[in-house]
Amino acid sequence: MRKFDKPVVVVSKCIEFDSCRYNGLMISSDVVRRLIPHVDFRPVCPEVEIGLGIPRDPVRVIEADGKLRLVQPATDKDFTEKMEQFAESFLDNLGEIDGFILKGRSPSCGIKDVKAYTGPSKRMSVSRTRGLFADAVINRCPSLAIEEEGRLTNFIIREHFLTKLFALARFRQVKLGKSMKDLVRFQTESKYLLMAYSQKELRALGRIVANQDKKPIEQVLEDYEEGLGGAFAKAPRDTSYINVLMHLMGHFSERLSSEERSFFLNTLEEYRDERVPLSVPLGILKSWAIRFEEDYLSRQTLVQPFPEKLTDISDSGKGRNI
Ligand code: SF4
């Protein structure tokens, strides 16, 4: 069974870790609870860190002169500078991390859909934006796995987030080891996953690993990390996964009966129609890799991108319409 490196993830503290919301409550999240044994969580509440108590008067984002500000309408106080300074020093001192799970719609932690107002006392929001802490996170760490807890209830978003998170955690170990051999193994074992994400980025990463210019390992790893961020920027389309799975079926084609082949093709149709998750056709491939002793395929990250216990087919109902 594949062993996974534990990703390091910053999480909004009010999700499952502390009753620190403005109203003294905590948010419950099945995804975060399930991740606890598999992830090294670093909980933080930016609003508490800048000195706001629990409970507290709520803050909101206002748009003034093209800039976002964090204000507390009840006290007329402006916490923008404090939040910006906290975010900068927190991110400076964080060390190596792989991702963030932040509280949606919060004026501090929300990564999108945060209401922005034209003034402290205005009733109507005028646009949607990011919270101020989340804005600093995204600007500083654009390649990491960053999501909101609410969006992770969507099956597609969750599967992409977990795939990227565990791949980044594994690459972090390669980076620490500074070994070309480990990087080659990472690239080899990630081949089909990267192919599903982006054929173009897969080829670009291959060129970085080939290192024709004889760059030092530190530079190669830096270039590779940047390319990996680009490869994982967006969740792959279902058709990309299907193309890769069809390609992999070709490895076994002559050793399979026509019933086995048509069963697999039917399963791909079911995956396309969102009737089964990706783990179903992947499970069939995995069983062939074991049966025909194709170690190269059994070791592919695509076959098991994150711990099996995190496979969960529940969905918010939006499916791929996101
Ligand atoms: S959303 Fe962020 S700032 Fe608000 S309570 Fe949660 S952790 Fe604190």
Side-chain angles (χ1 to χ4, degrees), residues 195-207:
M195 193 184 275
Y197 268 82
S198 163
Q199 301 232 17
K200 187 171 149 239
E201 298 292 349
L202 170 66
R203 283 193 295 274
L205 288 167
R207 283 192 294 276

Side-chain angles (χ1 to χ4, degrees), residues 14-298:
C14 62
I15 310 171
E16 292 291 342
F17 284 90
D18 196 8
S19 304
C20 58
R21 291 197 76 207
Y22 72 96
N23 53 8
L25 296 178
M26 186 163 75
I27 300 287
S28 141
S29 161
D30 285 349
V31 179
V32 169
R33 257 199 319 278
R34 205 168 311 118
L35 275 169
I36 288 173
H38 305 278
V39 161
D40 178 2
F41 272 125
R42 307 277 163 88
V44 63
C45 176
E47 289 179 14
V48 168
E49 293 293 333
I50 63 169
L52 292 165
I54 311 168
R56 56 188 170 274
D57 291 313
V59 287
R60 63 160 56 169
V61 175
I62 62 165
E63 260 187 54
D65 303 327
K67 189 173 173 358
L68 299 177
R69 304 203 67 84
L70 188 67
V71 299
Q72 192 173 42
T75 60
D76 217 16
K77 285 185 181 161
D78 187 322
F79 291 96
T80 313
E81 273 75 35
K82 270 194 171 177
M83 183 58 86
E84 286 174 348
Q85 280 162 15
F86 165 71
E88 197 180 330
S89 102
F90 177 78
L91 294 169
D92 280 347
N93 294 300
L94 199 52
E96 293 283 348
I97 47 159
D98 306 299
F100 290 79
I101 299 180
L102 298 174
K103 167 75 187 73
R105 303 210 171 107
S106 148
S108 302
C109 292
I111 66 172
K112 51 173 66 181
D113 278 344
V114 175
K115 287 179 181 170
Y117 299 82
T118 49
S121 53
K122 298 283 187 238
R123 290 211 170 164
M124 297 289 283
S125 60
V126 284
S127 60
R128 301 282 160 157
T129 185
R130 291 175 189 159
L132 269 74
F133 177 72
D135 190 48
V137 165
I138 293 168
N139 288 333
R140 179 78 77 91
C141 321
S143 315
L144 296 187
I146 303 172
E147 259 312 339
E148 293 181 346
E149 102 297 346
R151 283 169 50 85
L152 289 173
T153 58
N154 177 282
F155 180 77
I156 302 294
I157 294 176
R158 186 171 62 245
E159 197 160 72
H160 167 55
F161 175 80
L162 293 176
T163 300
K164 179 173 177 176
L165 184 67
F166 281 88
L168 294 182
R170 187 163 169 224
F171 177 71
R172 189 161 44 79
Q173 295 306 320
V174 173
K175 220 169 84 177
L176 280 176
K178 291 187 185 170
S179 148
M180 202 64 199
K181 199 170 140 213
D182 289 348
L183 181 62
V184 170
R185 187 181 310 130
F186 180 88
Q187 169 77 358
T188 307
E189 295 183 359
S190 307
K191 178 179 169 183
Y192 291 109
L193 180 66
L194 291 169
M195 193 184 275
Y197 268 82
S198 163
Q199 301 232 17
K200 187 171 149 239
E201 298 292 349
L202 170 66
R203 283 193 295 274
L205 288 167
R207 283 192 294 276
I208 294 170
V209 175
N211 195 19
Q212 301 277 3
D213 300 332
K214 306 267 181 287
K215 291 181 183 173
I217 181 74
E218 290 80 3
Q219 185 61 52
V220 174
L221 288 165
E222 208 174 291
D223 293 350
Y224 193 92
E225 186 170 29
E226 202 185 320
L228 199 58
F232 283 126
K234 275 201 308 200
R237 296 159 64 95
D238 55 331
T239 46
S240 306
Y241 268 130
I242 289 169
N243 288 342
V244 173
L245 293 171
M246 296 275 286
H247 175 80
L248 287 174
M249 187 183 83
H251 277 272
F252 305 100
S253 208
E254 289 178 0
R255 292 171 278 179
L256 299 172
S257 67
S258 59
E259 286 83 1
E260 283 174 308
R261 279 197 298 272
S262 65
F263 178 70
F264 186 68
L265 293 174
N266 277 341
T267 309
L268 290 184
E269 281 297 314
E270 288 180 327
Y271 166 64
R272 194 197 311 268
D273 298 343
E274 297 184 39
R275 282 180 286 139
V276 299
L278 181 64
S279 54
V280 174
L282 283 178
I284 299 174
L285 262 178
K286 200 165 154 186
S287 73
W288 292 340
I290 294 168
R291 176 170 140 206
F292 299 118
E293 298 180 353
E294 294 271 5
D295 283 357
Y296 171 72
L297 285 180
S298 304

